[in-house]
Amino acid sequence: MAARSRTLKDAARDITSALSAGEAGGGMRKALFAAVVGFLLVTAASTGATLWFMRTERIESATHINKSLALVIQEQTAEVLAGAERTLSRAAERLAWEQGVGAIAEEAARAALRASLANSRFLRAIFVLDARGRIAFDSDIGNIGVDLSDRQYFRVHRDDPKRGLHMGDPVVSRSVGTWFVSISLPLLSSDGRFDGVIVAALELLNLEKVWGGVDIGENGSIALVRRDGTLYMRSPYREGLLGKTYPFTPYFTGLMEAAPAGSATTVSPVDGKIRIVSYRVLPAHPDLVLLVGRSMDLILAPWRRGVAVAVAIWLASAAAVGAFAFWLQVVWRREQTGQERVGKELRESESVASASVAEFRALFDHLPVGISESTVDGRIIAVNAAWRRMYGYGATDAVAGIDAAGFWADSSDRARMFDQLAGEDHAAEVEALRNRRDGTKFLAELHTRGTVDADGKLQKLRSIHLDITDRKRREELAAARHAAEAKYSTMFDTMPVGVMETGPDGSIIAANPAARRMFGFGENEDLSGVSIADRYADPADRARIFAEHLRAGGKPMRFEVRRRRRDGSVFW
């Protein structure tokens, strides 16, 4: 510090001597002014570029998260629609079976339809139209015989009996006052002719309950729309929006035509908010599009706070430089007043400049993500504190000049990064296995931008390092869990012996195909209303088995009993 102070003093003395030389002094004053202005412009441009880079990275990261949220919500929505379709199919199969046994009475049909509704959280009513469009069966009372042949869902299936699930326009229920949409499937005779339609009312507000488990932040929105812009459901729900059409912009329409999923920044036609919107077309329903939007204000709020800090630091630095320039002018004017006063003011200026540099370094070191700057050949220039912790270096360990190539566990990942950096934007984003100082490895996501000279040649690399080991581990555990569940389901369904899961009251929770054949039940028959207690030839056997289980403390046991099939026949 003492050597630096002497150097600044000598420079000040040389400058003031030159300024005192009359005409030459005027040239020096102009050069000093130009240097100050140049410094301020360069630092402003550098700070602005860094902030813009951070903004871009923030938006790109938010877009990536938005796409993930859209995928999760799309899967939830698709499962709701698939569940509704399964309920309709099972209800139709049950009615067909009842009719195959004999003519089905209105009350029996209503009971069957209501039993199907009991297994669905999202459907409110189910009814069946005959081939002329009249209500043949209904889960509600008082509608049998009503002519609905003018309804869109009837005309659609009548004109195209091979069409699958159809969703109508959102409407308000006249009976309960809630928004719902009709979903329907065609009914075909044994020879493939159109034989009617089975229709259900899907209450749209239930979708908001499904979506409510996903946090999209303040002023975020989720919407299910048709490709023509018709709004089926929006969360948060607002009265008067459902059923209206909000046409997509040509740009957004072009995105959906190019790919079934994507993202764009857009202004909402509903509330005028600017959001990053990720869309996904539902694979089973290509006319339906799911939109997930998160507020740009919320996404950029941390960045804006960083901008405020950076601008404050730059202003402090600019003030320090201005003070230094002003001080030189004072020195020139008051050279004769003595070197002591000059030295004092110089020390004050040094203190201000050092404080500004310290503040900027503090901002750099306190960022929660690892940041590094290196040469193109891999030599580290600078790193922040988060990077040191990530790679196992202490706060005082020397890292400048270390070969950054040694941190790549697989050199092909480094080559892949340079392939991306060769693009027009000189940016790269790679996931790669990295080496720490102690030789342990971790999975990282690197966002890198290169600075180039006038000829477009890379000069330096600036990288943001994110440790994604825990995130990847969670994804792998989730995949393993899904695989295990699928394996259990396959084993359950393909076992050659009958397997059942029942409740304490004897109600059947699940039964594999072998058990269904053993007791005479259909492969897809709904067993929710069937009790295994009724399948004992001698009811006393059930009480005896329960008593034996209690005495055995729940251990597996083997019994031989006579059971009764659905048709009344008895087997061991």
Side-chain angles (χ1 to χ4, degrees), residues 68-371:
S68 299
L69 293 176
L71 176 60
V72 171
I73 298 172
Q74 177 215 43
E75 292 173 348
Q76 292 176 335
T77 306
E79 179 57 30
V80 170
L81 297 180
E85 184 173 3
R86 288 194 297 270
T87 299
L88 281 182
S89 297
R90 291 171 181 170
E93 291 170 359
R94 183 166 183 172
L95 288 176
W97 183 85
E98 295 281 359
Q99 288 175 316
V101 174
I104 182 172
E106 178 183 337
E107 287 300 323
R110 181 176 295 112
L113 293 177
R114 288 181 174 178
S116 297
L117 284 176
N119 296 322
S120 174
R121 296 185 297 131
F122 305 103
L123 301 182
R124 193 189 63 80
I126 303 179
F127 56 92
V128 178
L129 306 183
D130 60 21
R132 297 178 302 163
R134 301 180 183 277
I135 297 180
F137 305 115
D138 191 0
S139 61
D140 291 337
I141 299 175
N143 299 320
I144 303 301
V146 174
D147 187 356
L148 299 180
S149 60
D150 62 336
R151 297 299 194 269
Q152 181 190 38
Y153 47 78
F154 179 79
R155 297 197 310 271
V156 165
H157 292 301
R158 181 195 61 193
D159 297 341
D160 184 8
K162 294 183 179 180
R163 182 187 178 110
L165 186 72
H166 171 73
M167 293 184 64
D169 294 333
V171 295
V172 177
S173 170
R174 297 175 183 173
S175 58
V176 297
T178 59
W179 281 93
F180 74 93
V181 62
S182 64
I183 60 172
S184 55
L185 288 171
L187 299 176
L188 303 178
S189 62
S190 59
D191 58 1
R193 290 182 296 103
F194 176 71
D195 201 27
V197 180
I198 184 167
V199 189
L202 174 65
E203 292 187 328
L204 293 172
L205 290 181
N206 284 325
L207 287 177
E208 188 171 32
K209 299 176 183 178
V210 175
W211 298 341
V214 179
D215 183 11
I216 56 175
E218 185 180 0
N219 289 325
S221 68
I222 306 172
L224 181 65
V225 300
R226 204 160 54 197
R227 278 185 179 266
D228 63 1
T230 301
L231 182 60
Y232 277 85
M233 184 57 199
R234 182 182 187 272
S235 177
Y237 172 75
R238 283 177 56 182
E239 190 69 34
L241 296 181
L242 302 192
K244 292 185 177 180
T245 299
Y246 301 91
F248 292 108
T249 63
Y251 171 73
F252 213 93
T253 301
L255 286 179
M256 289 191 294
E257 291 175 352
S263 298
T265 301
T266 183
V267 179
S268 170
V270 174
D271 56 15
K273 301 287 186 182
I274 300 176
R275 295 184 177 90
I276 294 179
V277 177
S278 294
Y279 72 89
R280 295 191 71 90
V281 177
L282 272 64
H285 307 279
D287 277 347
L288 297 180
V289 182
L290 184 78
L291 305 175
V292 177
R294 291 200 301 151
S295 168
M296 186 66 82
D297 287 339
L298 181 65
I299 290 169
L300 293 181
W303 174 80
R304 286 171 177 155
R305 290 192 292 269
V307 169
V309 173
V311 170
I313 293 173
W314 183 86
L315 289 176
S317 300
V321 171
F324 181 74
F326 177 77
W327 172 78
L328 286 178
Q329 292 290 331
V330 172
V331 171
W332 173 69
R333 293 190 183 118
R334 301 182 181 180
E335 176 67 19
Q336 303 304 318
T337 61
Q339 295 299 320
E340 184 177 347
R341 184 172 180 179
V342 173
K344 180 182 178 181
E345 292 178 354
L346 179 58
R347 287 191 296 272
E348 291 175 353
S349 181
E350 279 186 314
S351 176
V352 172
S354 298
S356 298
V357 172
E359 290 176 3
F360 186 82
R361 183 66 194 187
L363 173 65
F364 179 75
D365 278 339
H366 285 83
L367 286 173
V369 296
I371 299 177

Side-chain angles (χ1 to χ4, degrees), residues 464-479:
I464 294 177
H465 305 247
L466 303 173
D467 187 341
I468 60 172
T469 304
D470 291 341
R471 188 185 81 193
K472 286 294 184 181
R473 186 176 294 113
R474 289 193 297 271
E475 292 173 356
E476 291 170 357
L477 290 175

